[in-house]
Amino acid sequence: PDPPFGSGRNSPTMVYLAMVAKGDVVIYEAKLPGPSTTKNPPENQLQFIVHQALDSLDQKIKSNSHMYLKEVDRFNNMPVSAFVTAGHVKFLLLYHAGTLEDGAIKQFFTELYKNYVKVCMNPFYLKNTPISSAIFADRIYMLARNYFLR
Amino acid sequence: PASHLLPPPHQPPLPLGAAPAVWKMSLAKMARLGDATFEKMDKVNSELLAMTYGAMVTTLIKDFQDIKTVNEELEKMGHNIGVRLIDEFLAKSGITQCRNLKDTAHSIAKIGFKMFLGINAEVAWSSNPRQFSIEFKGNPLIEFVELPEEYKDLDYSNILCGVIRGALSMVQMVVTTHLQRSELKGDPLTEIQVTLQKVNAEKVKGDDD
């Protein structure tokens, strides 16, 4: 049976997604279902890890013109994978090493980008503000399930 | 406005009880006419329309702050569009004069909505013979739109209500319209309720006026 949305919070396995806009404003973050059985890092560390990764990411952006930047940083045994949109919004994915394939992450990011663009097309959405749409959250959860759970 | 309509083509007298069959034919014919007119129309990118309309609605909200006022403004804008749109509707579709309210309702749904918005709309009737509803799914105006909680009373597509009211006012029909159901508010379809208030007699200007 499918776990109800939100149970990802209490499940032992997860992938952490953060979407960061201009000025390092986090416009979306979520714990998504993942295949790993390793214990998650504590909550307060997650944000710290992501912000640390942003610095490494900024360095990489200068030299790399691709949108998908693969691994930009690593915390203990957890890599951070990054994707930068044309509008310089950064998607960061924190996961347990060896549990996710490069191809799956890239496809996830591409689909996430499409969904992000749809949010931007909503006349009521203000740029660089947190995304509160439940429809968006559900879609991202489903994407994670499709690409990360084998 | 109504004076440039062609008189209806000569119809043979109908035997009693033949009305339903004639009616069905009329409806299918209207749908075909709607499709044919839609093909003739110049098209514009629907995403461009949706985003332009969305920008306009959000600007109205910013200017007026009050949602009720925004709803009224959208209706007024629609009315202004409707009084001009009716001429294009009559000219491009080539439709003959409507015999009754049923014809009017079906021409709006099958021809009007089809040719201007590409929407396949249906007509629903209530116990009130002077009232009908235009029902449809897939409104191009609401593409990508999600109504935030604080604007749940916003009648986002209210401009369409105004267009119907304005257009009918030019053919001597005074109606009130109301956005009864909306896909944006979680309903399965969008419903615009139209109520006939009165039919004006045609005013013919005399030579002295």
Side-chain angles (χ1 to χ4, degrees):
Chain A
D2 296 337
F5 174 65
S7 76
R9 275 197 167 260
N10 300 320
S11 84
T13 72
M14 70 94 196
V15 173
Y16 180 71
L17 169 73
M19 293 168 65
V20 183
K22 233 180 175 180
D24 288 352
V25 173
V26 177
I27 59 173
Y28 190 75
E29 55 178 346
K31 293 203 193 82
L32 300 172
S36 165
T37 49
T38 322
K39 204 161 151 319
N40 302 327
E43 291 269 343
N44 50 7
Q45 277 195 357
L46 287 173
Q47 292 242 340
F48 171 75
I49 296 167
V50 162
H51 277 272
Q52 190 182 284
L54 278 174
D55 294 331
S56 316
L57 174 58
D58 285 335
Q59 289 293 318
K60 279 225 168 149
I61 287 175
K62 290 187 182 136
S63 55
N64 194 333
S65 64
H66 292 132
M67 289 176 110
Y68 177 49
L69 293 169
K70 301 187 188 172
E71 189 186 317
V72 296
D73 198 18
R74 199 169 258 255
F75 177 79
N76 292 350
N77 205 25
M78 300 184 75
V80 178
S81 208
F83 182 98
V84 185
T85 73
H88 275 261
V89 176
K90 299 152 191 163
F91 303 159
L92 295 150
L93 201 68
L94 175 69
Y95 58 101
H96 294 283
T99 59
L100 294 180
E101 280 170 15
D102 211 37
I105 300 176
K106 185 175 188 190
Q107 283 185 309
F108 172 80
F109 275 145
T110 311
E111 291 297 311
L112 178 62
Y113 188 25
K114 285 190 199 155
N115 278 286
Y116 171 66
V117 169
K118 282 199 195 127
V119 167
C120 288
M121 304 268 257
N122 179 6
F124 294 111
Y125 174 69
L126 236 73
K127 210 177 77 161
N128 294 342
T129 58
I131 299 174
S132 55
S133 158
I135 297 174
F136 176 78
D138 285 345
R139 286 211 190 109
I140 303 310
Y141 185 83
M142 291 309 294
L143 280 180
R145 275 191 51 187
N146 290 341
Y147 287 110
F148 299 154
L149 299 179
R150 260 166 275 122
Chain B
S3 57
H4 68 261
L5 282 175
L6 299 169
H10 173 70
Q11 308 254 353
L14 303 165
L16 277 169
V22 171
W23 178 237
K24 268 194 194 144
M25 216 171 61
S26 214
L27 186 53
K29 209 166 146 205
M30 278 210 196
R32 279 198 300 276
L33 185 55
D35 290 339
T37 317
F38 174 71
E39 295 303 316
K40 286 194 287 180
M41 302 288 287
D42 286 335
K43 310 287 193 306
V44 75
N45 185 314
S46 69
E47 288 184 2
L48 177 62
L49 173 68
M51 297 187 72
T52 309
Y53 186 69
M56 187 180 75
V57 173
T58 50
T59 309
L60 282 175
I61 294 177
K62 214 183 294 180
D63 288 348
F64 289 108
Q65 296 292 320
D66 174 47
I67 294 301
K68 196 159 163 293
T69 314
V70 172
N71 287 343
E72 285 164 8
E73 283 301 309
L74 285 174
E75 210 276 347
K76 263 192 241 167
M77 286 169 125
H79 184 264
N80 286 333
I81 293 173
V83 299
R84 290 162 179 79
L85 203 76
I86 184 72
D87 280 328
E88 188 178 353
F89 170 77
L90 293 169
K92 287 240 166 83
S93 68
I95 191 175
T96 53
Q97 190 167 32
C98 291
R99 300 164 292 182
N100 50 35
L101 189 64
K102 275 199 167 79
D103 280 353
T104 307
H106 284 103
S107 69
I108 295 173
K110 297 297 178 195
I111 305 175
F113 269 73
K114 182 71 193 190
M115 67 190 271
F116 290 114
L117 291 169
I119 291 176
N120 295 315
E122 302 295 328
V123 179
W125 297 92
S126 66
S127 49
N128 182 348
R130 291 164 84 89
Q131 191 178 76
F132 61 90
S133 286
I134 308 283
E135 296 177 349
F136 53 93
K137 290 190 193 186
N139 182 353
L141 293 177
I142 65 172
E143 193 92 43
F144 312 118
V145 180
E146 266 180 64
L147 264 191
E149 183 62 32
E150 61 262 31
Y151 300 143
K152 61 175 162 62
D153 292 329
L154 175 68
D155 290 337
Y156 190 85
S157 306
N158 218 22
I159 202 167
L160 298 179
C161 296
V163 172
I164 294 173
R165 184 172 72 89
L168 288 177
S169 76
M170 296 300 276
V171 288
Q172 314 310 326
M173 293 174 72
V174 180
V175 302
T176 51
T177 52
H178 180 246
L179 193 66
Q180 196 76 351
R181 283 190 285 175
S182 165
E183 282 175 279
L184 274 187
K185 296 185 185 174
D187 296 310
L189 43 74
T190 303
E191 179 190 342
I192 299 176
Q193 197 179 68
V194 183
T195 312
L196 180 65
Q197 300 301 324
K198 64 172 177 153
V199 179
N200 286 330
E202 284 222 17
K203 299 189 187 81
V204 181
K205 283 212 162 110
D207 292 332
D208 303 331
D209 289 349

